[in-house]
Amino acid sequence: MTYQNPVVPGFYPDPSAIRVGDTYYLVNSSFNYFPGVPLFESHDLVNWTQIGHVLTRPSQLPLGGSNTSGGIYAPTLRYHDGRFYMVTTNVDHNGNFYVYTDDIHGEWSDPIPVEQGGIDPSLYFEGDKTYFMSNGDDDAGNHGITQCEIDIATGKKLTPSKVIWTGAGGRYLEGPHLYKADGRYYLLASEGGTEYGHMMVYARGDAPFGPFVNYAHNPVLTNRNLGGYQIQGTGHADLVDDGHGHWFLIHLAFRQLDRWIQQHTMGRETYLTPVTFDQDGWFTAGDHGTTRATMTAPGLENVQQHSPLVPLSFHNTTIGREWVTLREPDNDRYCFDQTVLAMRPNQALLEETQVSPTALFMRQRAFFSTVQVTVDVPANAAGLTAYMTESQHYDAIVERVGDQVKVARRLRVGPATTLDHVQLLPAGPVTLSLETTNYTYHFFAEAQGKRYDLGEAQAQYLSSELAGNFTGVMLGLFTEQTDAPDADWITFTDFSLTFPKEDDAQ
């Protein structure tokens, strides 16, 4: 079957996937957004449906003070003896831990900490033994892919931490996973940094602690030499099979604004690339070691066509699935009934780095999209945002001024903030809209049948290259407390996110 990449578009990085029976499950990093670790389900590896999040309670996910380079890093999802495990790192609070559940659609346990440090943790089960690995220092101070045996009931170490592999020679060795196939152990990892030099490498051994022999033709997957190609940064993969002899890499990559502009806004996304084993048990991946926008893979012949993105509204979205917050929210400030969203502002602005502003976000999942929402404007301010970080976001903002409503565009890029295209409109509801392309974010306001152009801003200033962060642009609704004496509830209605045309990778 021929399918299109990415299979999960938008800010869904560091994918980890497993197969249980005929169903696949997938998790991603979430950094400083709550709830954490998006959880997807699929029956064909191509079409994925979000079924929730893994970390849904503050006891699982403390995020106070986490910025857009903090919070939850790369998770790993595994299944053993009827139980699902998700292991990850909260880099700002408590380090490495795992949670578990016997019902993938239900609640997960409170965190169980692991004594070994590092980041990008992974689990490997064999018999009654559990192996824990991460990228970091072992007990002797050596750096590399470090592994120990743990008690899965408690997280306690049963053996010393030991470096088992130092990689294939590239910088920033990370994202390790261990597998067993045909009696051999395969150790998969990334090098090059999660940017334009990103690449997948692997080694093979005869025991869980090695020694491991590098694949002679590493990197097995990279787009680092595909100049003039939109998909870049391939890496951080998990290896999964379909139970019928076909293997795949689920991995991250990102799409530049176009084939020549080396900037990306939607973050690192989830891609699917086929794998082929040779007679000697070594494997190759993709199209001559690269990932393409259009790929053909054996084992997917019966898969239905890749489903297009579905238009979203308040009717088919929920808080805690599509809608997320920055850090742990004050739930008393939100009221949502699938037709109307009401929010009551606190003192935190979108620039906040410690607590949660009153704002809801969903991921931008396509270059070409249109967002629209109607705001009933009380004394406080409210708006629509394209948010990358606390210091990089584009907003359309409305505020009541006497018996009128002020509408404006606000651009925050680093230390500079501008407020322009100011319009004073008659009191009453205002409909805000945002039209996105791969190059621009364009805001509009409409009141009493008249539409006002609030201006166009360049996408490149919301790029990860400028932000230096690990997330992607989020489309959000927000409130801000002004000089008004009371934090009034602000009502949002008629929300829609539509996709006027499909993105075409170049």
Side-chain angles (χ1 to χ4, degrees):
M1 176 206 170
T2 298
Y3 64 94
Q4 295 296 123
N5 271 316
V7 292
V8 186
F11 157 50
Y12 292 103
D14 306 322
S16 176
I18 58 171
R19 178 181 57 84
V20 180
D22 62 355
T23 305
Y24 303 91
Y25 299 98
L26 167 74
V27 293
N28 300 97
S29 297
S30 52
F31 295 91
N32 62 336
Y33 287 97
F34 188 96
V37 187
L39 175 62
F40 290 85
E41 183 178 78
S42 174
H43 292 286
D44 59 19
L45 286 170
V46 173
N47 297 288
W48 294 89
T49 300
Q50 188 173 359
I51 58 176
H53 288 79
V54 173
L55 305 176
T56 58
R57 304 187 301 276
S59 63
Q60 300 169 311
L61 187 57
L63 288 172
S66 296
N67 63 20
T68 50
S69 294
I72 294 295
Y73 278 27
T76 297
L77 183 65
R78 291 294 181 258
Y79 181 76
H80 178 66
D81 281 350
R83 177 164 286 180
F84 294 89
Y85 295 87
M86 189 284 298
V87 59
T88 188
T89 312
N90 187 331
V91 297
D92 300 308
H93 302 274
N94 306 323
N96 290 324
F97 68 93
Y98 58 90
V99 293
Y100 63 86
T101 185
D102 297 331
D103 177 8
I104 193 74
H105 295 93
E107 289 290 313
W108 293 67
S109 72
D110 278 340
I112 299 174
V114 180
E115 294 175 330
Q116 181 169 295
I119 60 171
D120 298 358
S122 186
L123 293 173
Y124 173 72
F125 296 94
E126 185 169 291
D128 60 355
K129 293 187 176 183
T130 303
Y131 300 90
F132 176 89
M133 68 175 59
S134 59
N135 166 35
D137 296 331
D138 69 10
D139 291 349
N142 302 306
H143 188 80
I145 302 305
T146 301
Q147 184 169 263
C148 66
E149 187 182 337
I150 66 169
D151 178 351
I152 194 60
T154 65
K156 299 295 184 181
K157 288 170 60 173
L158 301 178
T159 65
S161 298
K162 175 185 176 182
V163 166
I164 60 172
W165 192 42
T166 55
R171 64 176 183 167
Y172 304 141
L173 177 65
E174 60 187 342
H177 294 304
L178 185 65
Y179 316 88
K180 189 176 184 180
D182 292 332
R184 297 186 178 100
Y185 295 86
Y186 293 83
L187 183 52
L188 182 68
S190 296
E191 292 180 341
T194 185
E195 50 195 63
Y196 290 89
H198 214 23
M199 53 186 169
M200 293 306 308
V201 295
Y202 76 97
R204 195 176 73 183
D206 295 323
F209 278 95
F212 290 94
V213 177
N214 284 346
Y215 172 52
H217 304 290
N218 276 324
V220 66
L221 182 71
T222 185
N223 280 21
R224 64 183 181 181
N225 294 322
L226 280 183
Y229 196 70
Q230 194 170 24
I231 296 172
Q232 296 291 330
T234 55
H236 203 110
D238 212 350
L239 191 62
V240 64
D241 74 297
D242 67 356
H244 302 287
H246 304 107
W247 292 80
F248 303 86
L249 287 175
I250 298 278
H251 64 92
L252 66 75
F254 56 79
R255 286 177 288 170
Q256 300 178 161
L257 297 181
D258 68 24
R259 60 187 295 184
W260 300 114
I261 298 179
Q262 290 189 321
Q263 293 167 322
H264 69 287
T265 55
M266 286 189 291
R268 297 165 300 159
E269 307 172 293
T270 295
Y271 289 70
L272 178 70
T273 298
V275 163
T276 303
F277 281 84
D278 65 21
Q279 292 181 346
D280 295 324
W282 297 100
F283 65 83
T284 57
D287 181 354
H288 297 89
T290 67
T291 293
R292 302 288 179 157
T294 301
M295 302 205 76
T296 301
L300 300 179
E301 289 83 359
N302 297 323
V303 176
Q304 299 297 315
Q305 190 63 33
H306 196 167
S307 299
L309 291 173
V310 176
L312 299 179
S313 68
F314 285 154
H315 296 281
N316 63 353
T317 58
T318 62
I319 297 177
R321 190 177 63 202
E322 293 82 9
W323 294 106
V324 297
T325 62
L326 281 165
R327 309 172 198 94
E328 310 99 303
D330 178 353
N331 291 321
D332 291 338
R333 295 186 178 273
Y334 300 87
C335 182
F336 184 55
D337 69 358
Q338 310 304 132
T339 59
V340 176
L341 168 66
M343 296 195 289
R344 184 165 56 91
N346 56 12
Q347 298 292 331
L349 305 178
L350 292 178
E351 286 76 19
E352 178 63 49
T353 60
Q354 298 300 309
V355 297
S356 183
T358 305
L360 292 177
F361 304 88
M362 62 173 54
R363 288 156 171 82
Q364 181 182 347
R365 302 193 65 190
F367 287 121
F368 295 91
S369 61
T370 300
V371 191
Q372 183 170 294
V373 70
T374 298
V375 186
D376 185 12
V377 187
N380 295 285
L384 171 64
T385 183
Y387 179 96
M388 180 53 125
T389 73
E390 58 271 5
S391 60
Q392 285 170 269
H393 50 91
Y394 296 160
D395 317 318
I397 188 166
V398 297
E399 179 184 353
R400 184 174 294 171
V401 179
D403 60 354
Q404 293 181 299
V405 172
K406 181 174 75 173
V407 180
R409 182 187 70 167
R410 182 176 63 189
L411 306 180
R412 171 71 190 270
V413 180
T417 302
T418 64
L419 190 73
D420 57 21
H421 291 76
V422 177
Q423 301 282 347
L424 288 176
L425 311 178
V430 176
T431 297
L432 301 175
S433 59
L434 167 62
E435 297 178 358
T436 74
T437 72
N438 50 331
Y439 301 121
T440 59
Y441 291 85
H442 199 158
F443 288 102
F444 299 88
E446 185 174 340
Q448 298 187 359
K450 186 174 180 180
R451 196 177 197 218
Y452 302 86
D453 189 335
L454 301 183
E456 186 177 88
Q458 295 181 43
Q460 62 181 314
Y461 296 110
L462 297 186
S463 68
S464 294
E465 285 73 17
L466 188 63
N469 71 331
F470 299 124
T471 60
V473 169
M474 305 288 277
L475 306 174
L477 308 176
F478 68 93
T479 63
E480 294 179 351
Q481 190 165 340
T482 60
D483 295 331
D486 297 315
D488 293 337
W489 287 91
I490 297 176
T491 301
F492 298 81
T493 57
D494 300 321
F495 170 83
S496 65
L497 171 58
T498 56
F499 308 97
K501 59 177 287 189
E502 288 200 20
D503 296 342
D504 294 320
Q506 303 168 55

